Amino acid sequence: MLNLDEHPHRRYNPLTNEWILVSPHRARRPWQGQVEDTPPDTRPAYDPTCYLCPGNERAGGKVNPAYSGTFVFDNDFPALLADTPTDEPDDHPLFRAQGERGICRVICFSPRHDLTLAHMAPGDIRPVIDTWAEQTLDLGSRDFIGYVQVFENKGAMMGCSNPHPHGQIWSTTRMPREIDKEIIAQRDYFKAHGITLLADYLAEEQRRAERILYANEHWTVLVPFWAIWPFETLLVSNRPAQSIPDLDEAERDALANALHQVTVRYDNLFRTSFPYSMGFHQQPTDGADYPYWHLHAHFYPPLLRSATVKKHMVGYEMLGTPQRDITAEQAAAHLRSLSDRHYTREN
Ligand code: H2U
Ligand code: ZN
């Protein structure tokens, strides 16, 4: 009989209706978490050359205010514009193109140049959550914005240009590709079962208790059964909330705790400032009803077995199917076993 710890197998991702490949027989050797001495982080609290620090000038000449909490500005090099034509000029079915309108913003999480979410106390992460909520409402209320994507790209490895703690928002008229997939999957599940897909999934994960690495009253953090990235995680609201603005005070505080927990554990995994792309998937803002939408966040980190060894999606994965060696259960066990006290503060 198929043994998921031993035999090559496929796993199904019900959120995207896609399969992934798992090859556990290649990773049965014991955990060899290599800890490399990454150079100590010597960033100053204020960097006069940083375009995100308070009071500094950005490219294009705008000057940041002397902000003390979070700070949001319109991206000076936005990927989307609010006033672009929206028609579909070519009616050939094989040459489709559509104008896409949108607004892109940058969010500084803190005035402190030397921090990351992992170094921020939950009480300092909370204002970041409130800012995400405000921005979702502000952008989502515009008639041409159908979806607000909140995300963070962290680390040079992820192409992040600046270590100052910050994230981005890209909001668009139409649904991003990943959202399109999740709409179909969550809608069909809700129609068939009368409950959100992630509510059922969470209940079953709680029962199995194999892949959960942290949980509090309002949030659960787990390595999803169908994870592709070695230490990929999914944060799910215990209640089927639909968006960040939907969250009440207690849920926002609990989310700050969950974000703190997951980012500290990530840093502790290889004793390095852990790179990732993360973002929230919330209900669209096009005015339709989304009773089936269940708020969640994905963390996609590329690191594999040390601060420098990175997973690349190449070869078979580009041409066939994404694949992993260590199982989601092994990854969850490693993350769960780590201290929730940041390694730079251990002594
Ligand atoms: P990363 O988070 O991936 O590093 O991107 C930073 C964003 O900041 C990027 O989208 C914007 C870039 O366009 N930016 C400004 O808006 N103003 C600047 O002065 C430099 C960078
Ligand atoms: Zn800075």
Side-chain angles (χ1 to χ4, degrees):
M1 198 173 86
L2 181 74
N3 180 339
L4 298 192
D5 294 325
E6 274 179 38
H7 301 125
H9 61 277
R10 305 204 305 162
R11 292 192 187 191
Y12 178 64
N13 180 342
L15 262 182
T16 57
N17 188 26
E18 291 167 332
W19 290 85
I20 64 133
L21 187 62
V22 187
S23 311
H25 61 295
R26 298 213 302 188
R28 262 185 298 161
R29 59 204 147 103
W31 170 241
Q32 301 166 317
Q34 288 164 27
V35 169
E36 279 165 53
D37 274 325
T38 38
D41 193 339
T42 52
R43 281 182 287 156
Y46 167 77
D47 178 349
T49 68
C50 168
Y51 64 81
L52 297 176
C53 274
N56 290 359
E57 186 175 319
R58 302 201 304 272
K62 296 233 169 69
V63 175
N64 298 328
Y67 66 97
S68 58
T70 62
F71 167 57
V72 182
F73 61 90
D74 282 331
N75 197 309
D76 299 307
F77 309 99
L80 295 142
L81 302 169
D83 55 4
T84 202
T86 57
D87 56 310
E88 197 167 330
D90 194 325
D91 59 10
H92 194 293
L94 299 180
F95 294 85
R96 293 189 63 185
Q98 303 175 325
E100 181 66 13
R101 298 169 74 190
I103 298 175
C104 299
R105 289 181 174 164
V106 178
I107 304 179
C108 298
F109 296 161
S110 161
R112 286 266 307 267
H113 185 80
D114 57 338
L115 297 181
T116 63
L117 284 181
H119 283 99
M120 289 164 66
D124 297 323
I125 297 177
R126 172 61 203 266
V128 177
I129 295 166
D130 292 336
T131 304
W132 288 333
E134 283 160 25
Q135 290 297 317
T136 300
L137 286 178
D138 175 26
L139 294 165
S141 68
R142 301 171 197 230
D143 56 5
F144 69 99
I145 297 298
Y147 191 77
V148 181
Q149 181 58 56
V150 167
F151 67 99
E152 179 192 6
N153 239 355
K154 181 184 168 228
M157 202 176 264
M158 300 310 292
C160 178
S161 57
N162 187 328
H164 192 113
H166 71 282
Q168 295 192 48
I169 301 185
W170 293 21
S171 58
T172 50
T173 301
R174 301 192 184 85
M175 299 305 130
R177 184 189 64 173
E178 293 302 300
I179 300 308
D180 256 340
K181 290 190 266 187
E182 292 191 358
I183 284 177
I184 293 168
Q186 294 186 99
R187 185 194 59 204
D188 291 353
Y189 193 94
F190 192 81
K191 220 185 262 174
H193 304 277
I195 182 170
T196 70
L197 187 161
L198 286 178
D200 261 356
Y201 176 63
L202 257 193
E204 190 57 24
E205 284 289 14
Q206 279 153 358
R207 203 178 65 75
R208 300 186 180 209
E210 255 185 311
R211 280 166 296 272
I212 294 176
L213 52 117
Y214 170 78
N216 60 35
E217 200 188 335
H218 300 290
W219 288 85
T220 303
V221 185
L222 51 86
V223 179
F225 183 70
W226 54 82
I228 295 173
W229 297 94
F231 295 96
E232 175 177 337
T233 53
L234 181 69
L235 275 70
V236 189
S237 64
N238 292 347
R239 168 179 76 89
Q242 283 157 327
S243 65
I244 305 173
D246 223 22
L247 300 173
D248 66 23
E249 293 286 319
E251 288 169 328
R252 292 180 190 204
D253 285 343
L255 175 56
N257 282 322
L259 288 168
H260 179 76
Q261 283 282 334
V262 68
T263 54
V264 168
R265 281 158 197 270
Y266 273 155
D267 276 13
N268 286 347
L269 186 59
F270 302 123
R271 296 171 79 86
T272 192
S273 186
F274 202 74
Y276 56 74
S277 283
M278 71 79 73
F280 285 84
H281 281 164
Q282 42 185 349
Q283 72 171 350
T285 58
D286 59 356
D289 266 348
Y290 292 88
Y292 53 79
W293 196 274
H294 193 138
L295 176 66
H296 59 278
H298 299 278
F299 274 82
Y300 297 136
L303 290 184
L304 186 54
R305 66 180 96 86
S306 74
T308 48
V309 180
K310 176 186 173 187
K311 177 182 175 67
H312 295 276
M313 292 278 181
V314 295
Y316 185 80
E317 300 192 279
M318 287 180 86
L319 292 152
T321 299
Q323 179 268 351
R324 65 182 292 130
D325 290 348
I326 67 160
T327 63
E329 297 72 48
Q330 290 167 331
H334 295 321
L335 289 169
R336 193 167 44 232
S337 71
L338 296 166
S339 167
D340 61 1
R341 191 169 165 78
H342 199 277
Y343 71 93
T344 57
R345 300 197 175 142
E346 266 169 6
N347 309 311

